[in-house]
Amino acid sequence: MDTTIVEDVKVSTGHWIGGERVASGDTFEDVSPIDETTIATVARGSANEVDAAVAAARDAFPGWAALSPKDRAAVLHAVGEGIEKRALELAAVETRDNGSLLRSMQRSVMPRAGHNFHFFADELLTLAHEDFDTRGHTNHVSWDPAGVAAVITPWNAPLMLGTWRLAPALAAGNTVVFKPPEWAPLTASMLADIACEAGVPDGVFNVVQGIGEEAGAALTAHPGVGRIAFTGSVDTGKLVAAAAAPNLTPLSLELGGKSPFLIFADADLDAAVAQAVGQYDNAGQVCLAGTRLLVEDAVFDAFVERFLERAGALREGAPREETTDLGPLITREHFERVDGFVQRARVAGATTLLGGGPNEDLGGLHYRPTLFVDVPDGAEILHREVFGPVLTVQRFADEEQGVAMANDTNYGLAAIVYTGDRERARRVSQRLVAGTVWVNCFFVRDLRAPFGGARDSGIGREGGQWSFDFYADVKNVCAAPWQTQDTTEN
């Protein structure tokens, strides 16, 4: 089976189906955004490989589903430990594959990937609902494994976002077919090796590499799939939903965002500025990012002045350097897409306060952190997800206008509110249309909490018990009172 060496790590470029490496007749090139060179030639799956993977998963399902929660949890903990043991290798490979900062991969992203498995292994052992009584009848709730789960993840944090879905799907007793992103597929292949070493039975976890329009489309339309979990763009999410519809396959969609970041005059302005500049993290390739900065009139000028000073100190460069704050965008295609948004915003009348184009000094796929002001109402840049280091800043007069501007979007993934008034925080949070609202903080995630989007940002909630509600068939057994049998012999 073909392999490649990335950052001194040996990585298989084949599929993982039924406990074996499988090749394909066709391949695709995996290009690193760091220098736009090919780092791997990867097996390009089609409907044939998807059929084989689903068949292997269906064959393995009865045995995996029959394992006790304790035994399944032990295997999942072993997977988590395997990720932790190889965290530095995984971080190095993923940085090379998608251009994310190495320090972030090492310190937060890969540790979180391991934690996802540990958390859902533990959550499985506490999964229960108290029996309840209905006129003397007893109701008992259980979570039955649903079958084969298809998991499709994006390229901006492919392994961590994959484990967020894979761990609960496996914990619930499902088997899985995982389709990683073609722009950054390599750590998914490494996870297959880790899962095998951890004792995951053959066929329980499968990886099919390939292009979304081919392998992804075949997987989401497959009648043998019982659940679909997809993270990606709104347009692709609609295609996934359409493919799932003929089979009535339940699906969980985490899609795009255009999140508001509200800063009130009574906020800690320095903290708000620091958090706002932090929205350039991962070169803006974060679906949750608060890209629409909404600032109350009284502090607007002071906010902008401090923002520009702090953002001007950001360092663009090689993502493997400790001092780098922004690395490259993922591909040339995406680079051109981001630049198109920026140029059209200028034509629409927006004023550039920061950046506004490629970083000519660095070249490659590096794009300068950009901030627009004086953006006309209804402009594209206020309403469509750019997924790059591009923010807008607007002023509002009072709470009513601020909330109205925040909700003026088709998205509803997240929102950020900075204020020194506890009661205002409560009022505003209740009125914002968002799956998650952060108050005086950002990106604090507790896996027990529900996560998902409203409006075009997605369907469903996952996290804690909500994940098991999705990845299982929730059953209620209602039993009449048992009559005492008279066993006295005549």
Side-chain angles (χ1 to χ4, degrees):
M1 175 49 59
D2 291 337
T3 59
T4 188
I5 303 296
V6 179
E7 302 297 294
D8 297 324
V9 179
K10 185 177 181 181
V11 183
S12 175
T13 55
H15 313 290
W16 179 255
I17 300 174
E20 297 181 347
R21 288 292 175 182
V22 176
S24 289
D26 292 329
T27 59
F28 65 92
E29 301 300 301
D30 179 23
V31 176
S32 172
I34 294 176
D35 53 13
E36 297 186 84
T37 62
T38 298
I39 56 174
T41 300
V42 183
R44 182 169 179 162
S46 65
N48 291 334
E49 287 80 8
V50 168
D51 285 343
V54 172
R58 288 174 66 87
D59 288 345
F61 173 69
W64 180 248
L67 282 181
S68 69
K70 182 179 179 181
D71 289 341
R72 278 207 304 273
V75 175
L76 296 183
H77 276 303
V79 176
E81 291 165 2
I83 292 173
E84 290 164 350
K85 288 177 182 176
R86 299 192 66 185
L88 293 181
E89 291 181 348
L90 290 163
V93 171
E94 192 146 293
T95 289
R96 182 72 169 137
D97 210 7
N98 78 346
S100 294
L101 298 186
L102 180 60
R103 69 167 190 260
S104 296
M105 285 287 160
Q106 293 175 336
R107 297 172 190 172
S108 59
V109 178
M110 292 309 165
R112 167 66 185 277
H115 176 64
N116 284 341
F117 272 95
H118 291 306
F119 172 84
F120 284 105
D122 290 337
E123 191 77 1
L124 170 62
L125 299 182
T126 64
L127 186 64
H129 191 291
E130 289 186 6
D131 291 350
F132 54 96
D133 178 81
T134 306
R135 299 186 299 277
H137 295 62
T138 300
N139 291 269
H140 177 74
V141 177
S142 62
W143 288 261
D144 293 354
V148 179
V151 176
I152 302 174
T153 57
W155 43 263
N156 56 328
L159 184 67
M160 187 271 285
L161 292 175
T163 61
W164 157 244
R165 258 61 187 274
L166 296 168
L170 292 168
N174 301 313
T175 51
V176 170
V177 178
F178 182 26
K179 210 297 281 184
E182 56 265 34
W183 286 354
L186 299 182
T187 49
S189 181
M190 295 172 68
L191 181 61
D193 294 331
I194 291 170
C196 181
E197 293 166 6
V200 175
D202 294 348
V204 169
F205 177 64
N206 306 273
V207 177
V208 176
Q209 315 276 13
I211 308 301
E213 294 85 349
E214 299 167 359
L219 182 58
T220 55
H222 203 290
V225 168
R227 293 291 187 273
I228 299 171
F230 170 81
T231 304
S233 71
V234 174
D235 288 344
T236 305
K238 291 177 180 179
L239 295 175
V240 170
N247 300 315
L248 293 179
T249 308
L251 69 168
S252 175
L253 303 177
E254 185 203 330
L255 306 177
K258 194 71 177 175
S259 300
F261 189 142
L262 281 157
I263 298 122
F264 288 92
D266 58 8
D268 180 334
L269 200 57
D270 286 333
V273 167
Q275 199 68 265
V277 173
Q279 303 309 298
Y280 290 127
D281 182 47
N282 203 29
Q285 299 169 130
V286 178
C287 58
L288 294 165
T291 57
R292 293 184 296 130
L293 308 177
L294 307 175
V295 186
E296 194 167 5
D297 275 333
V299 294
F300 184 88
D301 291 340
F303 172 86
V304 170
E305 180 181 357
R306 297 185 200 184
F307 180 97
L308 292 175
E309 179 181 1
R310 190 174 184 111
L314 291 173
R315 300 186 65 169
E316 294 182 77
R320 289 172 287 194
E321 296 294 330
E322 180 71 19
T323 56
T324 296
D325 297 309
L326 275 82
L329 296 177
I330 182 69
T331 65
R332 178 61 56 180
E333 175 187 343
H334 187 61
F335 180 92
E336 297 296 340
R337 178 180 180 275
V338 170
D339 190 54
F341 274 108
V342 170
Q343 303 312 321
R344 290 192 299 274
R346 281 193 174 132
V347 171
T351 299
T352 308
L353 292 182
L354 181 73
N359 188 318
E360 305 290 356
D361 296 332
L362 293 173
L365 299 179
H366 293 274
Y367 205 91
R368 295 189 185 278
T370 297
L371 179 68
F372 284 116
V373 71
D374 301 327
V375 184
D377 291 340
E380 174 193 57
I381 199 71
L382 296 177
H383 294 279
R384 291 188 61 195
E385 184 179 45
V386 178
F387 220 61
V390 181
L391 308 180
T392 60
V393 60
Q394 299 168 275
R395 61 174 75 231
F396 63 88
D398 54 27
E399 183 178 310
E400 189 69 24
Q401 185 183 25
V403 171
M405 292 171 69
N407 286 335
D408 184 20
T409 174
N410 291 330
Y411 295 97
L413 187 56
I416 307 165
V417 178
Y418 265 69
T419 177
D421 186 331
R422 184 191 299 264
E423 182 58 25
R424 169 180 282 144
R426 183 194 64 79
R427 285 195 312 269
V428 171
S429 296
Q430 286 182 339
R431 297 180 63 193
L432 292 174
V433 180
T436 300
V437 178
W438 281 286
V439 177
N440 296 333
C441 61
F442 178 62
F443 219 22
V444 178
R445 291 284 304 277
D446 189 318
L447 293 182
R448 295 171 294 182
F451 180 80
R455 295 176 174 167
D456 284 357
S457 288
I459 298 173
R461 294 292 182 271
E462 295 186 48
Q465 183 178 308
W466 288 274
S467 288
F468 288 94
D469 289 346
F470 171 68
Y471 290 106
D473 290 320
V474 183
K475 177 191 293 180
N476 180 57
V477 176
C478 181
W482 290 98
Q483 303 298 321
T484 303
Q485 302 263 340
D486 185 356
T487 58
T488 304
E489 294 183 6
N490 293 330

